[in-house]
Amino acid sequence: MTTVQKICVSLNMPRIRHIRVFSSVSSAGLVPKPYLPDNLMKKTKERIARHPSFLADTLEGEWSDIWPLPNQFNPYLVPLPLRMGHTQKFCVSPDKYTSVELLKVQNFLHLTPPAIKKHCAALKKFCTPFPKELKTQQDCEREFPVETHTVDYVAAGKTPRNPAARVVTKTIRLSNLVLDHHARLKLTQLAGKERYNRSNDILTIKVDRCPVKKQNQDFADYLLTALYFESWKTEPWESKENTSHSDGYYWWEDSPSYQNVKNLSLSWDSPAVEKYRESVREIKLEPEPEKLGILTEERKEAVSNYKDSVIKLLNLPVLA
Amino acid sequence: LRTNSDSSPGLASSIKKIYCNERDPGNHTLKDIGLMHEIPKEDQSSLVLKYDKGFRKKFLTEASAVDKLCIMIRKPGLELVNYLKHANYSTAVNRYLMYGPAGCGKTMTMMYAVDYCKKQGWLIVPVFNPWTWIQYKNTYIVHQREEIVRSLWNKDRVDHPEIAARWLENFRQINSDLLENVFTTREYTWSKHEKTKSGVSFSTLVDLGIARVRIATDVAGCILREIINQDSPDFPRTLAAVDCANSFFGISTLKIEPGVYLEPNELALVHNFKKILSNKWKNGAVIVGLNTSGIPSQTKRIAKVSSEHPYDILGQEGFDILDPHIPIHVPHYTDKEAISHLAYYQDRKWLVGRSTTEAGEAEILQICGNSPTDICVYCGHL
């Protein structure tokens, strides 16, 4: 990888006016000649050579000793020729000894890859290996059904804080919870349509109402436990309320339709009953139509299916 | 593009056979679709009820102008009669639901089936206009709003004294010969001083109800209870013909106290008639029709749902009570039926002149579409 350094040199010479010279030096060795007379160039080259920054090769292993922790920028410790700051007319940016901007901004000099490697190596003796039993995704889900999803944001800016980092999302597949059919219905209804995905049976709770991530996580835990325990309770007003069937579950055995069919005293094994059940289900679980009252093709079909199944159930002849 | 000529006679005048010769609707077949089934004058006195007539007002005025009462034979009617013929009457009741767009003949099909049942000798429980039960007849004359009274039988419910008396009169008129042979099985106590012993015939009950208006609702309830709990093999087959059934499951505009609207469930009549809609009884049939033109709204600002779909206006509760039932779709006329309707008018000399020509016919059909009510209304102007 080629590194390109922009070196900005300000010549301090009495008789010659200040000349701004830019040169880009690539480590491949090609140096475009600066527009300077030869004797001046020699002097500047010496000055650059004296600067300790070009001893970077020897410093690699020792950098983590010099800069172990996050620290404010120290120009005497950092060997790089950095410049940062606002330029006045005909001036270059302030160098590292005089730049206040370098002090203000956060640096990640403690996080060089060799330093991180060293850190990890030191921590390794405290770690245990990943368990062998957890090979597949299903094993992981079986042992740890609740998944917590958080995001940390790193950006170089005035502050390291990012308000989006407080969001916590907890997901759980409802088949891992112990629920009877009433509890499941109630839980999905309490959670709401946006939070429960019926195709893969996953309940998602996204919390971002508290300012701190830890607070949001605790709140999400609380929500899950509250939902679970509330869904097992049956309130006295619940029996009449469940007539909308908008949540998509319809338990035919509990419905009044079943009671009515019992009155007919039929045998339960006949396929007619099965078909009837399916058609009643279809009618009950219809999604909300856009315009109430208009017979679209699908609704018509549902009604005529119902009709055919009832005719078969009651053993009536169809008009020829 | 062939234009319809003004001089040549239209399709309607070429139809020779308009009336069906079979008087018994049980013998009509699919070939008879489009013919008019006439109801002779003797039957008219029992079918056309005194209050809450089964037929629509327009139809009856037209019938009196044209001097004949005719129902067209259509496929839904034949279907219904077919089911009634072949149903199993030893098990629970079958329910039949008529639905379709407004003005397409649901009530007419129901009257057709009622005619069939009358010929078979069934007992008929007619409920043709329950909109009067849940709405005030006169909204502006306050002192006439004495149509509802708290019930003596059950304090939670509300009676309709006058309306129930009228219903009992209807009941007597439509089942004139059968009522003497049917007997009650229980003793009923109407109030502290009035009792009716068991074994009394229906006709005496009905007379009692009409005379004593205060207990008329309870009498109606007793009749229904007897029908539902029938035991004896002599009990006639019963047809409950309930039109505008969605009125039972909606809202009412009646107030028992200023500011408190009643629910239909609190009305004793509605409560009792809902029982007859269920399939807990045997030896009979229930025909239910839906109607969207009379829906009340408590604030008069809610848009009325005019629906073709049966379960939208019936609601979940209605569906649960009526389940399992057979929904019968009563659609607009087919082209053949529309032309036969026009032929009937021509035969009765209502449509003359230009309406009989091809061009006139095309114009009428274009304007009205195939909707029976529209043809009726439009031709009424001609």
Side-chain angles (χ1 to χ4, degrees):
Chain A
M1 204 155 49
T2 53
T3 47
V4 174
Q5 285 173 307
K6 250 193 183 165
I7 302 177
C8 197
V9 176
S10 145
L11 300 172
N12 204 354
M13 287 184 211
R15 262 178 289 164
I16 305 174
R17 269 185 302 160
H18 287 274
I19 304 170
R20 265 164 109 186
V21 166
F22 292 95
S23 79
S24 59
V25 179
S26 85
S27 57
L30 293 169
V31 182
K33 283 201 170 158
Y35 192 65
L36 276 179
D38 272 333
N39 50 350
L40 289 172
M41 197 57 213
K42 225 201 259 178
K43 271 196 184 169
T44 51
K45 273 193 182 173
E46 271 175 51
R47 266 170 91 210
I48 289 167
R50 263 186 276 133
H51 203 287
S53 65
F54 290 88
L55 302 171
D57 298 321
T58 56
L59 281 182
E60 226 182 73
E62 301 155 23
W63 179 250
S64 47
D65 299 331
I66 298 170
W67 202 280
L69 293 169
N71 198 358
Q72 202 184 43
F73 186 81
N74 188 342
Y76 297 100
L77 282 182
V78 178
L80 302 166
L82 298 171
R83 288 188 175 267
M84 181 165 172
H86 178 68
T87 54
Q88 297 205 338
K89 221 173 180 185
F90 303 123
C91 293
V92 294
S93 321
D95 68 359
K96 64 179 180 181
Y97 298 102
T98 51
S99 160
V100 186
E101 308 295 327
L102 272 175
L103 296 177
K104 287 197 261 182
V105 137
Q106 50 174 340
N107 58 74
F108 296 104
L109 293 164
H110 56 288
L111 293 178
T112 57
I116 293 176
K117 264 195 196 163
K118 239 180 155 181
H119 200 158
C120 289
L123 284 176
K124 204 162 188 179
K125 59 177 183 277
F126 299 112
C127 299
T128 55
F130 194 78
K132 274 179 263 176
E133 295 84 19
L134 294 181
K135 285 179 206 162
T136 57
Q137 177 67 22
Q138 276 132 15
D139 290 335
C140 296
E141 200 187 300
R142 192 176 15 102
E143 301 293 326
F144 307 104
V146 184
E147 279 184 39
T148 316
H149 186 260
T150 52
V151 185
D152 291 312
Y153 297 87
V154 173
K158 286 188 202 170
T159 53
R161 299 175 202 284
N162 190 332
R166 71 184 197 282
V167 176
V168 171
T169 311
K170 292 222 175 193
T171 61
I172 180 171
R173 209 180 280 263
L174 282 192
S175 48
N176 291 319
L177 289 174
V178 177
L179 296 168
D180 71 349
H181 76 264
H182 161 263
R184 185 175 259 259
L185 250 173
K186 191 167 178 186
L187 203 152
T188 45
Q189 273 182 327
L190 282 173
K193 264 191 197 166
E194 307 88 39
R195 294 198 183 92
Y196 179 60
N197 183 350
R198 198 124 54 84
S199 54
N200 57 2
D201 196 29
I202 289 185
L203 174 74
T204 320
I205 298 180
K206 183 175 166 187
V207 185
D208 61 350
R209 56 168 74 180
C210 306
V212 175
K213 191 194 291 181
K214 180 172 186 299
Q215 295 168 346
N216 282 325
Q217 210 169 56
D218 292 341
F219 184 59
D221 289 333
Y222 161 72
L223 278 182
L224 266 177
T225 40
L227 271 179
Y228 179 69
F229 286 108
E230 280 299 315
S231 63
W232 270 101
K233 295 183 199 164
T234 315
E235 304 285 337
W237 45 259
E238 264 186 39
S239 51
K240 273 187 192 170
E241 288 286 289
N242 287 343
T243 48
S244 64
H245 304 290
S246 51
D247 49 354
Y249 290 107
Y250 183 67
W251 304 91
W252 186 64
E253 282 75 20
D254 292 340
S255 73
S257 163
Y258 179 82
Q259 306 293 324
N260 289 342
V261 174
K262 258 209 302 203
N263 280 337
L264 292 179
S265 64
L266 286 174
S267 61
W268 291 112
D269 299 335
S270 56
V273 180
E274 199 43 53
K275 210 177 165 195
Y276 169 69
R277 174 172 177 247
E278 285 303 317
S279 55
V280 171
R281 218 154 173 243
E282 211 185 288
I283 285 195
K284 283 271 183 176
L285 293 182
E286 256 180 344
E288 282 269 344
E290 291 162 10
K291 276 190 196 172
L292 262 189
I294 297 193
L295 264 182
T296 55
E297 279 303 318
E298 299 141 350
R299 300 188 88 192
K300 223 181 190 173
E301 225 186 277
V303 178
S304 53
N305 271 345
Y306 177 71
K307 181 180 177 182
D308 293 332
S309 64
V310 175
I311 288 177
K312 288 222 175 78
L313 197 74
L314 302 173
N315 280 326
L316 289 175
V318 184
L319 195 64
Chain B
L1 195 77
R2 195 172 72 92
T3 53
N4 294 318
S5 61
D6 254 339
S7 54
S8 65
L11 281 169
S13 27
S14 60
I15 294 181
K16 299 266 163 61
K17 184 178 182 199
I18 296 173
Y19 302 104
C20 185
N21 291 327
E22 269 292 339
R23 283 303 147 114
D24 187 5
N27 294 335
H28 292 157
T29 58
L30 274 176
K31 290 183 203 163
D32 296 329
I33 289 182
L35 301 176
M36 301 300 253
H37 168 69
E38 195 190 332
I39 299 178
K41 292 245 159 96
E42 318 88 55
D43 286 343
Q44 266 182 40
S45 58
S46 54
L47 266 188
V48 177
L49 307 170
K50 195 168 164 196
Y51 304 103
D52 290 346
K53 303 169 179 50
F55 299 100
R56 298 265 164 259
K57 216 170 169 186
K58 266 189 207 90
F59 180 72
L60 287 172
T61 47
E62 181 198 301
S64 64
V66 157
D67 207 26
K68 259 193 186 181
L69 193 70
C70 280
I71 304 178
M72 187 184 283
I73 302 174
R74 296 175 68 193
K75 193 161 176 238
L78 287 174
E79 222 181 301
L80 187 53
V81 170
N82 190 31
Y83 293 143
L84 285 174
K85 268 197 257 180
H86 296 280
N88 186 356
Y89 289 111
S90 55
T91 55
V93 213
N94 285 336
R95 274 87 53 89
Y96 309 99
L97 176 71
M98 324 279 286
Y99 70 95
C104 279
K106 300 185 278 288
T107 320
M108 301 300 285
T109 333
M110 197 188 289
M111 298 309 288
Y112 182 71
V114 166
D115 190 37
Y116 166 72
C117 293
K118 276 228 65 169
K119 300 226 158 65
Q120 304 277 320
W122 290 30
L123 184 73
I124 299 181
V125 177
V127 181
F128 290 135
N129 202 359
W131 295 119
T132 48
W133 301 358
I134 61 170
Q135 280 175 325
Y136 286 119
K137 203 166 150 200
N138 304 300
T139 12
Y140 300 109
I141 304 173
V142 179
H143 72 268
Q144 283 197 12
R145 283 197 196 179
E146 285 165 355
E147 290 172 16
I148 48 173
V149 172
R150 277 277 165 201
S151 167
L152 291 171
W153 191 289
N154 186 340
K155 281 201 194 129
D156 290 333
R157 296 199 212 126
V158 167
D159 272 352
H160 299 259
E162 289 173 21
I163 292 178
R166 284 189 207 156
W167 185 81
L168 286 171
E169 278 198 48
N170 276 352
F171 188 63
R172 185 169 62 178
Q173 186 190 358
I174 204 172
N175 299 313
S176 41
D177 30 332
L178 286 173
L179 286 179
E180 274 133 42
N181 301 330
V182 188
F183 299 99
T184 58
T185 53
R186 241 190 62 170
E187 193 183 299
Y188 293 105
T189 315
W190 308 117
S191 65
K192 248 197 275 182
H193 307 289
E194 289 167 20
K195 277 189 203 174
T196 315
K197 296 182 200 161
S198 62
V200 163
S201 76
F202 267 16
S203 52
T204 11
L205 255 189
V206 172
D207 288 333
L208 174 67
I210 293 170
R212 297 263 309 142
V213 172
R214 195 81 164 80
I215 56 169
T217 326
D218 297 329
V219 170
C222 292
I223 291 178
L224 290 175
R225 181 185 290 182
E226 290 296 319
I227 292 175
I228 290 173
N229 297 339
Q230 56 185 252
D231 254 342
S232 65
D234 291 336
F235 209 93
R237 290 227 183 113
T238 318
L239 173 76
V242 181
D243 204 1
C244 312
N246 51 318
S247 60
F248 293 166
F249 305 111
I251 49 174
S252 79
T253 46
L254 298 175
K255 292 190 211 182
I256 187 74
E257 274 152 39
V260 178
Y261 283 111
L262 285 176
E263 271 180 57
N265 268 330
E266 290 179 29
L267 302 169
L269 273 182
V270 172
H271 184 93
N272 290 327
F273 276 97
K274 266 190 190 168
K275 285 190 211 160
I276 213 173
L277 285 181
S278 74
N279 69 346
K280 290 195 180 136
W281 50 293
K282 299 182 184 175
N283 198 18
V286 180
I287 305 182
V288 179
L290 297 176
N291 190 313
T292 49
S293 55
I295 299 179
S297 55
Q298 284 168 355
T299 57
K300 293 216 160 123
R301 271 180 229 142
I302 308 169
K304 293 182 184 173
V305 177
S306 157
S307 162
E308 289 182 3
H309 196 271
Y311 307 127
D312 273 348
I313 27 177
L314 200 54
Q316 290 288 349
E317 200 195 329
F319 184 81
D320 287 336
I321 289 181
L322 285 177
D323 201 22
H325 60 273
I326 298 179
I328 300 178
H329 185 51
V330 183
H332 285 295
Y333 276 159
T334 58
D335 292 329
K336 189 177 164 222
E337 288 170 350
I339 290 174
S340 65
H341 193 162
L342 292 177
Y344 167 65
Y345 282 145
Q346 283 179 19
D347 178 69
R348 295 272 92 219
K349 304 280 186 284
W350 187 264
L351 290 179
V352 289
R354 195 171 170 263
S355 340
T356 53
T357 62
E358 232 177 68
E361 227 176 73
E363 193 182 317
I364 296 176
L365 287 178
Q366 175 87 358
I367 291 175
C368 306
N370 282 350
S371 157
T373 334
D374 285 342
I375 295 184
C376 189
V377 166
Y378 191 70
C379 294
H381 298 311
L382 292 173

